[in-house]
Amino acid sequence: MVLGICPQHSKRFLRALTKEKLLEAKHSGPRLCIDLSMTHHMSKKELSRLAGQIRRLYGSNKKADRPFWICLTGFTIDSPLYEECVRMNDGFSSYLLDIKEEDCFSLFPLETLVYLTPDSEHALEDVDLNKVYILGGLVDESIQKKVTFQKAWEYSVKTARLPIQEYMVRNQNGKNYHSEILAINQVFDILSTYLETHNWPEALKKGVTSGKGYILRNSVE
């Protein structure tokens, strides 16, 4: 069915529809938590990068047919990151998401949590609507892996990594650079695409850019 919406009503209608879909995700899943409890050592430049990633993630989520409910945890409104988010993201204070000072580990039952970290031994096989997926809000690649995995381990929370090794291969490049560490908005695009298509190769193609040094197994150069 083609929606015949008058131009003057279309924006209002789409906003209402987006709000309805987001609130539905809050109650029935899928849910995504951005763990922002590790930002206190970040430089201004890193905070700006993270604020930009949050903006892109939220923008993608609003457009998704099946959006996630997003919860920003370990996040205080008097923090430098909050200031940066407000400065960089138009309308940030009215984003449809939860902002919580508490850590994600105290907000949800531990058995429902899955911390997505490149160091996990377990490849993510599916997106479970009853689980809460956690992404670590870090932009420094050198510490990102160790810190997020360690944190999940301390709380005995399940971990998973994106199935990059299962569906992709290293591509020869001049720098001999290969990285499975992605920005939070790239990880989100993969999860969101998978939820829509149930197709990991298609989802990974969406978020693993060529600069990461990986291509799909069946890609013909």
Side-chain angles (χ1 to χ4, degrees):
M1 183 180 88
V2 179
L3 289 172
I5 310 164
C6 300
Q8 66 267 37
H9 297 310
S10 62
K11 274 194 174 175
R12 191 183 301 168
F13 172 80
L14 290 171
R15 265 203 303 271
L17 189 64
T18 298
K19 184 174 183 178
E20 193 180 305
K21 286 196 290 188
L22 284 168
L23 293 174
E24 192 180 315
K26 184 174 187 175
H27 298 292
S28 55
R31 286 180 285 267
L32 185 75
C33 189
I34 313 293
D35 178 6
L36 298 171
S37 63
M38 302 167 281
T39 57
H40 39 285
H41 296 307
M42 283 191 183
S43 66
K44 179 86 161 44
K45 189 179 174 187
E46 287 173 329
L47 290 172
S48 294
R49 276 177 64 194
L50 186 54
Q53 290 174 19
I54 291 169
R55 180 185 64 214
R56 286 192 286 276
L57 186 155
Y58 184 75
S60 294
N61 195 43
K62 270 184 17 179
K63 293 181 196 143
D65 284 338
R66 190 81 189 272
F68 282 73
W69 180 253
I70 292 165
C71 189
L72 305 178
T73 62
F75 194 34
T76 55
I77 56 174
D78 59 356
S79 64
L81 178 61
Y82 188 89
E83 281 175 30
E84 199 59 18
C85 283
V86 170
R87 186 182 73 80
M88 286 183 64
N89 307 340
D90 194 31
F92 179 75
S93 54
S94 56
Y95 274 14
L96 276 170
L97 43 68
D98 280 332
I99 289 177
K100 300 286 186 185
E101 287 189 24
E102 300 94 325
D103 208 306
C104 48
F105 302 107
S106 57
L107 285 168
F108 306 100
L110 294 179
E111 67 275 9
T112 66
L113 298 175
V114 180
Y115 211 122
L116 296 175
T117 168
D119 270 350
S120 179
E121 293 172 8
H122 311 288
L124 187 65
E125 292 176 11
D126 202 1
V127 174
D128 183 341
L129 299 186
N130 298 313
K131 300 288 187 193
V132 178
Y133 294 93
I134 308 169
L135 300 180
L138 287 164
V139 293
D140 182 346
E141 289 199 8
S142 61
I143 63 163
Q144 190 168 340
K145 289 176 76 172
K146 305 179 193 93
V147 171
T148 51
F149 185 77
Q150 179 70 23
K151 210 167 176 199
W153 183 80
E154 280 170 18
Y155 285 90
S156 304
V157 161
K158 280 184 184 155
T159 60
R161 58 176 171 76
L162 293 171
I164 293 172
Q165 297 164 22
E166 283 69 19
Y167 293 97
M168 304 188 93
V169 290
R170 290 183 170 204
N171 188 24
Q172 292 303 317
N173 57 46
K175 295 177 183 170
N176 197 25
Y177 174 76
H178 304 91
S179 174
E180 292 181 43
I181 299 175
L182 307 175
I184 55 170
N185 55 295
Q186 292 172 320
V187 177
F188 174 79
D189 286 343
I190 292 169
L191 294 176
S192 181
T193 305
Y194 177 78
L195 197 62
E196 217 169 280
T197 62
H198 290 280
N199 180 316
W200 277 119
E202 199 172 318
L204 290 164
K205 196 167 63 179
K206 190 92 175 179
V208 184
T209 56
S210 57
K212 293 291 174 183
Y214 283 90
I215 54 169
L216 290 172
R217 285 186 184 279
N218 57 1
S219 295
V220 179
E221 287 300 285

